[in-house]
Amino acid sequence: MGKFIVLEGLEGSGKTTVALYIVKILKSYGIKNVILTREPGSTPISEIFRTLIKYGKDGDQDPITSYAELLMFYAARVQLLENVIKPSLLKGIWIVGDRYDFSSYAYQGGGRRIDKYFIKNLSRVVLNNFRPDITFYLDISPKIGLSRIENKRKLDHIEKESMDFFNRVRLSYQALASENLNVVTIDASQTLNQVNSDVQYYIKKLLKI
Ligand code: Z5A
């Protein structure tokens, strides 16, 4: 069996950068079969949901409702889980996931204030409690995170949310990190070298080396 490693955090926390670093160090430790995934996305159907969720359809004519957004995230996730993640793990391939289920609790639960027990039930039914082996939560203030991505060309509709929204997302992430096993909080405001070295420590523990 491969292992499922997930990166979570606000935008600009460095998830994508750290995910690439994890792939690199896994390979250097002899784990050559590694797939990088992103959520929403990483299957043909999930990528369609990604575009739809991020940019909508036909501008303001048909704004995405909070529940439609939540359900689309789960539709994209279950496609990825059943068609890529589970079959790959069974073949001994490791998965490094840029976001997974905590993102929905943090953004749709914390940010959009959808009832967390509703999300929990939805998650239980759709994902059947399938969990990562380890989750790295890259903790950063929204101010620093958003400043790192401010030059991004086109902001999606979630990235245009208020500072209050992102503060609620961060608080939800911090609560999830303290309530759940196998979650490691990394201070993502450190230099990239420090962040990478913290992550490497836990990867070595996972590999028992
Ligand atoms: N979303 C949701 O609401 N519910 C869900 O269930 C799921 C997702 C799954 C996906 O956006 C959006 O969907 C996201 C949450 C929502 N929306 N928002 N807002 P995405 O996939 O387009 O992007 P993202 O996941 O938010 O990540 P990002 O913006 O690409 O950021 P990142 O991956 O965390 O950071 P990065 O690209 O690695 O780094 C950003 C820059 O910072 C880059 O220039 C790096 O070189 C730099 N960087 C990274 N680390 C450091 C350190 N330590 N110091 C200095 N600079 C650094």
Side-chain angles (χ1 to χ4, degrees):
M1 282 287 283
K3 292 209 184 291
F4 181 28
I5 300 169
V6 167
L7 280 311
E8 288 281 6
L10 288 171
E11 28 289 300
S13 56
K15 296 176 304 299
T16 313
T17 311
V18 174
L20 289 168
Y21 175 71
I22 292 177
V23 173
K24 193 174 122 191
I25 54 173
L26 285 177
K27 291 195 172 168
S28 77
Y29 294 137
I31 297 172
K32 307 286 181 203
N33 288 330
V34 188
I35 293 178
L36 195 57
T37 61
R38 67 171 182 182
E39 285 208 27
S42 293
T43 85
I45 290 176
S46 307
E47 286 292 329
I48 293 172
F49 280 120
R50 180 181 178 89
T51 310
L52 207 49
I53 293 166
K54 282 169 79 85
Y55 305 110
K57 186 112 179 67
D58 298 337
D60 294 335
Q61 294 273 31
D62 187 16
I64 298 170
T65 66
S66 297
Y67 280 107
E69 182 186 77
L70 175 74
L71 295 171
M72 285 194 279
F73 277 121
Y74 274 96
R77 181 166 302 132
V78 71
Q79 285 296 118
L80 177 62
L81 180 64
E82 298 298 340
N83 293 346
V84 177
I85 297 175
K86 283 185 182 172
S88 301
L89 293 173
L90 281 174
K91 286 184 209 147
I93 299 168
W94 287 47
I95 304 283
V96 179
D98 191 338
R99 298 191 179 281
Y100 183 61
D101 205 27
F102 280 1
S103 288
S104 297
Y105 284 88
Y107 284 82
Q108 281 62 54
R112 300 245 186 267
R113 297 194 167 107
I114 293 179
D115 183 68
K116 76 172 179 187
Y117 295 102
F118 174 72
I119 301 180
K120 211 172 183 170
N121 279 328
L122 180 66
S123 169
R124 189 175 41 78
V125 172
V126 174
L127 309 179
N128 197 17
N129 293 324
F130 192 89
R131 301 253 162 82
D133 292 283
I134 186 167
T135 298
F136 291 102
Y137 163 52
L138 304 186
D139 184 53
I140 199 151
S141 75
K143 205 169 161 221
I144 302 179
L146 293 172
S147 75
R148 288 182 186 166
I149 58 153
E150 66 191 357
N151 294 328
K152 230 179 176 180
R153 265 170 294 141
K154 191 176 168 197
L155 293 185
D156 63 47
H157 87 276
I158 300 176
E159 285 161 344
K160 290 179 193 157
E161 284 292 344
S162 66
M163 231 7 140
D164 276 357
F165 175 94
F166 291 114
N167 281 321
R168 290 199 299 279
V169 174
R170 186 187 192 194
L171 284 175
S172 297
Y173 264 134
Q174 289 172 335
L176 286 162
S178 65
E179 288 160 7
N180 285 277
L181 294 174
N182 301 333
V183 183
V184 175
T185 299
I186 304 284
D187 175 0
S189 67
Q190 304 178 98
T191 64
L192 191 51
N193 275 344
Q194 285 167 320
V195 170
N196 283 344
S197 125
D198 288 359
V199 167
Q200 184 169 18
Y201 170 83
Y202 289 99
I203 293 288
K204 282 170 99 171
K205 265 180 85 166
L206 186 68
L207 289 165
K208 301 191 173 68
I209 50 177

PDB file of all heavy atoms in Angstrom, residues 104-126:
ATOM      1  N   SER A 104     -13.063  21.616   3.038  1.00  0.00           N
ATOM      2  CA  SER A 104     -14.511  21.878   3.033  1.00  0.00           C
ATOM      3  C   SER A 104     -14.997  22.282   4.421  1.00  0.00           C
ATOM      4  O   SER A 104     -15.839  23.170   4.563  1.00  0.00           O
ATOM      5  CB  SER A 104     -15.289  20.647   2.555  1.00  0.00           C
ATOM      6  OG  SER A 104     -14.941  20.341   1.231  1.00  0.00           O
ATOM      7  N   TYR A 105     -14.458  21.621   5.457  1.00  0.00           N
ATOM      8  CA  TYR A 105     -14.838  22.010   6.820  1.00  0.00           C
ATOM      9  C   TYR A 105     -14.412  23.463   7.086  1.00  0.00           C
ATOM     10  O   TYR A 105     -15.132  24.236   7.706  1.00  0.00           O
ATOM     11  CB  TYR A 105     -14.146  21.105   7.852  1.00  0.00           C
ATOM     12  CG  TYR A 105     -14.742  19.727   7.969  1.00  0.00           C
ATOM     13  CD1 TYR A 105     -14.310  18.695   7.149  1.00  0.00           C
ATOM     14  CD2 TYR A 105     -15.715  19.451   8.907  1.00  0.00           C
ATOM     15  CE1 TYR A 105     -14.838  17.420   7.263  1.00  0.00           C
ATOM     16  CE2 TYR A 105     -16.254  18.176   9.026  1.00  0.00           C
ATOM     17  CZ  TYR A 105     -15.809  17.163   8.206  1.00  0.00           C
ATOM     18  OH  TYR A 105     -16.342  15.913   8.327  1.00  0.00           O
ATOM     19  N   ALA A 106     -13.189  23.800   6.619  1.00  0.00           N
ATOM     20  CA  ALA A 106     -12.652  25.130   6.930  1.00  0.00           C
ATOM     21  C   ALA A 106     -13.334  26.231   6.101  1.00  0.00           C
ATOM     22  O   ALA A 106     -13.784  27.235   6.655  1.00  0.00           O
ATOM     23  CB  ALA A 106     -11.138  25.139   6.701  1.00  0.00           C
ATOM     24  N   TYR A 107     -13.429  26.013   4.775  1.00  0.00           N
ATOM     25  CA  TYR A 107     -13.961  27.083   3.909  1.00  0.00           C
ATOM     26  C   TYR A 107     -15.495  27.121   3.907  1.00  0.00           C
ATOM     27  O   TYR A 107     -16.085  28.181   4.076  1.00  0.00           O
ATOM     28  CB  TYR A 107     -13.461  26.913   2.465  1.00  0.00           C
ATOM     29  CG  TYR A 107     -12.032  27.347   2.281  1.00  0.00           C
ATOM     30  CD1 TYR A 107     -10.982  26.502   2.606  1.00  0.00           C
ATOM     31  CD2 TYR A 107     -11.721  28.613   1.789  1.00  0.00           C
ATOM     32  CE1 TYR A 107      -9.662  26.898   2.444  1.00  0.00           C
ATOM     33  CE2 TYR A 107     -10.409  29.018   1.619  1.00  0.00           C
ATOM     34  CZ  TYR A 107      -9.379  28.147   1.951  1.00  0.00           C
ATOM     35  OH  TYR A 107      -8.082  28.563   1.793  1.00  0.00           O
ATOM     36  N   GLN A 108     -16.128  25.947   3.695  1.00  0.00           N
ATOM     37  CA  GLN A 108     -17.590  25.961   3.607  1.00  0.00           C
ATOM     38  C   GLN A 108     -18.199  25.968   5.024  1.00  0.00           C
ATOM     39  O   GLN A 108     -19.220  26.606   5.249  1.00  0.00           O
ATOM     40  CB  GLN A 108     -18.098  24.762   2.789  1.00  0.00           C
ATOM     41  CG  GLN A 108     -17.970  24.949   1.267  1.00  0.00           C
ATOM     42  CD  GLN A 108     -16.538  25.107   0.790  1.00  0.00           C
ATOM     43  OE1 GLN A 108     -15.682  24.265   1.090  1.00  0.00           O
ATOM     44  NE2 GLN A 108     -16.251  26.179   0.062  1.00  0.00           N
ATOM     45  N   GLY A 109     -17.541  25.264   5.967  1.00  0.00           N
ATOM     46  CA  GLY A 109     -18.029  25.265   7.346  1.00  0.00           C
ATOM     47  C   GLY A 109     -17.675  26.576   8.049  1.00  0.00           C
ATOM     48  O   GLY A 109     -18.552  27.346   8.439  1.00  0.00           O
ATOM     49  N   GLY A 110     -16.377  26.848   8.175  1.00  0.00           N
ATOM     50  CA  GLY A 110     -15.933  28.064   8.869  1.00  0.00           C
ATOM     51  C   GLY A 110     -16.248  29.320   8.073  1.00  0.00           C
ATOM     52  O   GLY A 110     -16.891  30.245   8.568  1.00  0.00           O
ATOM     53  N   GLY A 111     -15.803  29.337   6.831  1.00  0.00           N
ATOM     54  CA  GLY A 111     -15.958  30.543   6.006  1.00  0.00           C
ATOM     55  C   GLY A 111     -17.416  30.840   5.677  1.00  0.00           C
ATOM     56  O   GLY A 111     -17.925  31.918   5.968  1.00  0.00           O
ATOM     57  N   ARG A 112     -18.101  29.861   5.094  1.00  0.00           N
ATOM     58  CA  ARG A 112     -19.493  30.103   4.659  1.00  0.00           C
ATOM     59  C   ARG A 112     -20.521  29.806   5.745  1.00  0.00           C
ATOM     60  O   ARG A 112     -21.713  29.944   5.533  1.00  0.00           O
ATOM     61  CB  ARG A 112     -19.827  29.217   3.450  1.00  0.00           C
ATOM     62  CG  ARG A 112     -18.960  29.440   2.237  1.00  0.00           C
ATOM     63  CD  ARG A 112     -19.752  29.993   1.070  1.00  0.00           C
ATOM     64  NE  ARG A 112     -18.931  30.070  -0.114  1.00  0.00           N
ATOM     65  CZ  ARG A 112     -18.246  31.161  -0.468  1.00  0.00           C
ATOM     66  NH1 ARG A 112     -18.309  32.256   0.259  1.00  0.00           N
ATOM     67  NH2 ARG A 112     -17.512  31.160  -1.570  1.00  0.00           N
ATOM     68  N   ARG A 113     -20.043  29.311   6.863  1.00  0.00           N
ATOM     69  CA  ARG A 113     -20.908  29.027   8.026  1.00  0.00           C
ATOM     70  C   ARG A 113     -21.970  27.954   7.750  1.00  0.00           C
ATOM     71  O   ARG A 113     -23.083  28.011   8.273  1.00  0.00           O
ATOM     72  CB  ARG A 113     -21.589  30.304   8.527  1.00  0.00           C
ATOM     73  CG  ARG A 113     -20.607  31.353   9.038  1.00  0.00           C
ATOM     74  CD  ARG A 113     -21.370  32.403   9.822  1.00  0.00           C
ATOM     75  NE  ARG A 113     -20.523  33.270  10.592  1.00  0.00           N
ATOM     76  CZ  ARG A 113     -20.271  34.547  10.273  1.00  0.00           C
ATOM     77  NH1 ARG A 113     -20.782  35.083   9.179  1.00  0.00           N
ATOM     78  NH2 ARG A 113     -19.508  35.286  11.051  1.00  0.00           N
ATOM     79  N   ILE A 114     -21.651  26.988   6.899  1.00  0.00           N
ATOM     80  CA  ILE A 114     -22.556  25.838   6.733  1.00  0.00           C
ATOM     81  C   ILE A 114     -22.376  24.938   7.953  1.00  0.00           C
ATOM     82  O   ILE A 114     -21.248  24.737   8.423  1.00  0.00           O
ATOM     83  CB  ILE A 114     -22.239  25.070   5.425  1.00  0.00           C
ATOM     84  CG1 ILE A 114     -22.568  25.946   4.204  1.00  0.00           C
ATOM     85  CG2 ILE A 114     -23.022  23.762   5.357  1.00  0.00           C
ATOM     86  CD1 ILE A 114     -22.276  25.294   2.862  1.00  0.00           C
ATOM     87  N   ASP A 115     -23.485  24.409   8.428  1.00  0.00           N
ATOM     88  CA  ASP A 115     -23.456  23.597   9.646  1.00  0.00           C
ATOM     89  C   ASP A 115     -22.423  22.465   9.549  1.00  0.00           C
ATOM     90  O   ASP A 115     -22.442  21.667   8.606  1.00  0.00           O
ATOM     91  CB  ASP A 115     -24.858  23.016   9.864  1.00  0.00           C
ATOM     92  CG  ASP A 115     -24.934  22.214  11.142  1.00  0.00           C
ATOM     93  OD1 ASP A 115     -24.833  22.811  12.213  1.00  0.00           O
ATOM     94  OD2 ASP A 115     -25.044  20.971  11.045  1.00  0.00           O
ATOM     95  N   LYS A 116     -21.539  22.411  10.571  1.00  0.00           N
ATOM     96  CA  LYS A 116     -20.427  21.443  10.459  1.00  0.00           C
ATOM     97  C   LYS A 116     -20.904  19.995  10.594  1.00  0.00           C
ATOM     98  O   LYS A 116     -20.282  19.080  10.071  1.00  0.00           O
ATOM     99  CB  LYS A 116     -19.286  21.782  11.405  1.00  0.00           C
ATOM    100  CG  LYS A 116     -19.483  21.469  12.838  1.00  0.00           C
ATOM    101  CD  LYS A 116     -18.161  21.686  13.574  1.00  0.00           C
ATOM    102  CE  LYS A 116     -18.368  21.393  15.045  1.00  0.00           C
ATOM    103  NZ  LYS A 116     -17.250  21.706  15.894  1.00  0.00           N
ATOM    104  N   TYR A 117     -22.043  19.804  11.267  1.00  0.00           N
ATOM    105  CA  TYR A 117     -22.548  18.421  11.382  1.00  0.00           C
ATOM    106  C   TYR A 117     -23.132  17.957  10.049  1.00  0.00           C
ATOM    107  O   TYR A 117     -23.070  16.781   9.706  1.00  0.00           O
ATOM    108  CB  TYR A 117     -23.560  18.306  12.527  1.00  0.00           C
ATOM    109  CG  TYR A 117     -22.865  18.563  13.835  1.00  0.00           C
ATOM    110  CD1 TYR A 117     -22.995  19.788  14.481  1.00  0.00           C
ATOM    111  CD2 TYR A 117     -22.003  17.608  14.371  1.00  0.00           C
ATOM    112  CE1 TYR A 117     -22.292  20.043  15.651  1.00  0.00           C
ATOM    113  CE2 TYR A 117     -21.295  17.856  15.535  1.00  0.00           C
ATOM    114  CZ  TYR A 117     -21.443  19.079  16.168  1.00  0.00           C
ATOM    115  OH  TYR A 117     -20.732  19.334  17.313  1.00  0.00           O
ATOM    116  N   PHE A 118     -23.676  18.915   9.295  1.00  0.00           N
ATOM    117  CA  PHE A 118     -24.152  18.571   7.955  1.00  0.00           C
ATOM    118  C   PHE A 118     -22.949  18.143   7.094  1.00  0.00           C
ATOM    119  O   PHE A 118     -22.991  17.127   6.396  1.00  0.00           O
ATOM    120  CB  PHE A 118     -24.876  19.772   7.316  1.00  0.00           C
ATOM    121  CG  PHE A 118     -25.256  19.518   5.885  1.00  0.00           C
ATOM    122  CD1 PHE A 118     -26.283  18.640   5.564  1.00  0.00           C
ATOM    123  CD2 PHE A 118     -24.564  20.129   4.842  1.00  0.00           C
ATOM    124  CE1 PHE A 118     -26.617  18.378   4.235  1.00  0.00           C
ATOM    125  CE2 PHE A 118     -24.892  19.869   3.519  1.00  0.00           C
ATOM    126  CZ  PHE A 118     -25.922  18.989   3.216  1.00  0.00           C
ATOM    127  N   ILE A 119     -21.852  18.914   7.182  1.00  0.00           N
ATOM    128  CA  ILE A 119     -20.659  18.575   6.388  1.00  0.00           C
ATOM    129  C   ILE A 119     -20.090  17.231   6.847  1.00  0.00           C
ATOM    130  O   ILE A 119     -19.711  16.389   6.026  1.00  0.00           O
ATOM    131  CB  ILE A 119     -19.586  19.694   6.485  1.00  0.00           C
ATOM    132  CG1 ILE A 119     -20.160  21.017   5.977  1.00  0.00           C
ATOM    133  CG2 ILE A 119     -18.321  19.307   5.708  1.00  0.00           C
ATOM    134  CD1 ILE A 119     -19.205  22.193   6.030  1.00  0.00           C
ATOM    135  N   LYS A 120     -20.111  17.021   8.155  1.00  0.00           N
ATOM    136  CA  LYS A 120     -19.583  15.762   8.696  1.00  0.00           C
ATOM    137  C   LYS A 120     -20.375  14.565   8.149  1.00  0.00           C
ATOM    138  O   LYS A 120     -19.799  13.551   7.744  1.00  0.00           O
ATOM    139  CB  LYS A 120     -19.691  15.807  10.222  1.00  0.00           C
ATOM    140  CG  LYS A 120     -18.625  15.050  10.929  1.00  0.00           C
ATOM    141  CD  LYS A 120     -18.699  15.304  12.422  1.00  0.00           C
ATOM    142  CE  LYS A 120     -17.555  14.559  13.065  1.00  0.00           C
ATOM    143  NZ  LYS A 120     -17.372  14.899  14.439  1.00  0.00           N
ATOM    144  N   ASN A 121     -21.700  14.713   8.136  1.00  0.00           N
ATOM    145  CA  ASN A 121     -22.541  13.616   7.630  1.00  0.00           C
ATOM    146  C   ASN A 121     -22.316  13.392   6.136  1.00  0.00           C
ATOM    147  O   ASN A 121     -22.213  12.255   5.674  1.00  0.00           O
ATOM    148  CB  ASN A 121     -24.027  13.919   7.875  1.00  0.00           C
ATOM    149  CG  ASN A 121     -24.398  13.571   9.300  1.00  0.00           C
ATOM    150  OD1 ASN A 121     -23.837  12.648   9.892  1.00  0.00           O
ATOM    151  ND2 ASN A 121     -25.319  14.322   9.873  1.00  0.00           N
ATOM    152  N   LEU A 122     -22.257  14.504   5.408  1.00  0.00           N
ATOM    153  CA  LEU A 122     -22.018  14.413   3.967  1.00  0.00           C
ATOM    154  C   LEU A 122     -20.686  13.699   3.708  1.00  0.00           C
ATOM    155  O   LEU A 122     -20.592  12.754   2.906  1.00  0.00           O
ATOM    156  CB  LEU A 122     -21.986  15.833   3.378  1.00  0.00           C
ATOM    157  CG  LEU A 122     -21.740  15.977   1.887  1.00  0.00           C
ATOM    158  CD1 LEU A 122     -22.898  15.386   1.083  1.00  0.00           C
ATOM    159  CD2 LEU A 122     -21.569  17.462   1.525  1.00  0.00           C
ATOM    160  N   SER A 123     -19.672  14.127   4.446  1.00  0.00           N
ATOM    161  CA  SER A 123     -18.344  13.557   4.279  1.00  0.00           C
ATOM    162  C   SER A 123     -18.353  12.058   4.608  1.00  0.00           C
ATOM    163  O   SER A 123     -17.765  11.239   3.894  1.00  0.00           O
ATOM    164  CB  SER A 123     -17.369  14.309   5.191  1.00  0.00           C
ATOM    165  OG  SER A 123     -16.156  13.645   5.238  1.00  0.00           O
ATOM    166  N   ARG A 124     -19.048  11.709   5.704  1.00  0.00           N
ATOM    167  CA  ARG A 124     -19.078  10.300   6.126  1.00  0.00           C
ATOM    168  C   ARG A 124     -19.722   9.426   5.049  1.00  0.00           C
ATOM    169  O   ARG A 124     -19.225   8.362   4.707  1.00  0.00           O
ATOM    170  CB  ARG A 124     -19.852  10.184   7.447  1.00  0.00           C
ATOM    171  CG  ARG A 124     -19.788   8.827   8.111  1.00  0.00           C
ATOM    172  CD  ARG A 124     -20.469   8.828   9.467  1.00  0.00           C
ATOM    173  NE  ARG A 124     -21.722   9.577   9.503  1.00  0.00           N
ATOM    174  CZ  ARG A 124     -22.879   9.116   9.019  1.00  0.00           C
ATOM    175  NH1 ARG A 124     -22.958   7.927   8.492  1.00  0.00           N
ATOM    176  NH2 ARG A 124     -23.959   9.869   9.097  1.00  0.00           N
ATOM    177  N   VAL A 125     -20.820   9.933   4.476  1.00  0.00           N
ATOM    178  CA  VAL A 125     -21.525   9.143   3.463  1.00  0.00           C
ATOM    179  C   VAL A 125     -20.697   9.063   2.171  1.00  0.00           C
ATOM    180  O   VAL A 125     -20.501   7.985   1.606  1.00  0.00           O
ATOM    181  CB  VAL A 125     -22.917   9.768   3.164  1.00  0.00           C
ATOM    182  CG1 VAL A 125     -23.576   9.066   1.972  1.00  0.00           C
ATOM    183  CG2 VAL A 125     -23.809   9.689   4.385  1.00  0.00           C
ATOM    184  N   VAL A 126     -20.189  10.214   1.730  1.00  0.00           N
ATOM    185  CA  VAL A 126     -19.532  10.265   0.416  1.00  0.00           C
ATOM    186  C   VAL A 126     -18.131   9.630   0.455  1.00  0.00           C
ATOM    187  O   VAL A 126     -17.756   8.888  -0.457  1.00  0.00           O
ATOM    188  CB  VAL A 126     -19.455  11.734  -0.081  1.00  0.00           C
ATOM    189  CG1 VAL A 126     -18.658  11.836  -1.369  1.00  0.00           C
ATOM    190  CG2 VAL A 126     -20.851  12.295  -0.288  1.00  0.00           C
TER     191      VAL A 126
END
